[in-house]
Amino acid sequence: KDAIIKVADIIAAEDFYRRAIRIWTAVLGPNDATALSSLHDLAKTYSLQGERREATATLERVLRIEEQNFGSNDARVASSCMEIGTLQVSNRAVAEKYFVRALKVAEAAHGKDSPELIQPLRMVALFFVTVGYPARAEPLLDRALQIGERYVGQDNIDTSFTLDALANVYDATGRTTKALYLRERARNIRKSSR
């Protein structure tokens, strides 16, 4: 029963967001940034229903509007590229295009050494591990770790997540001793942060 109610809520939300977008578009034009929030929410409803094609198309519309309104090197563009990449992870070539673009845009928006890059670096690395390219993930995670240790600290909980991700890469490439060391270090960080 609860699942039926939730599905009904999602469908009702989808209708609500479609109406809101139609109104914003009619009043302000098809490329006005005011509709971005509703478009993002509509994409989420599609995603929750398993409608990846519709979610992707909606997020690509978001991306076009963001680029027109804020420029192609805005952090919001990076975020949208990351979302599209995540939706398209089953299509490796498309997902990779969006993940790599997201990282380049995030670097342009925040700088190549910004703590704002830690999460995008980890996400792109996770993608590469997921599709069987741990060697491509390692330099990204090394960089995320260096940035994290420098800006958020060696004993920060966020640093422990990067250590765990890097340990997974070491495991995948047969370096279990290094992986164990990183996992122990990550575990100690989490213990001390309680």
Side-chain angles (χ1 to χ4, degrees), residues 1 24 98 101 130 133 179 182:
K1 182 179 176 181
W24 287 122
Y98 279 105
R101 181 172 177 215
T130 301
Y133 295 110
L182 293 181

Side-chain angles (χ1 to χ4, degrees), residues 4 16 25 36 68 82 94 100 108 135 152 155 185 194:
I4 293 170
F16 172 80
T25 301
L36 287 173
Q68 285 182 335
M82 198 68 72
V94 172
V100 169
V152 299
D155 296 327
R185 189 173 154 209
R194 288 183 192 167

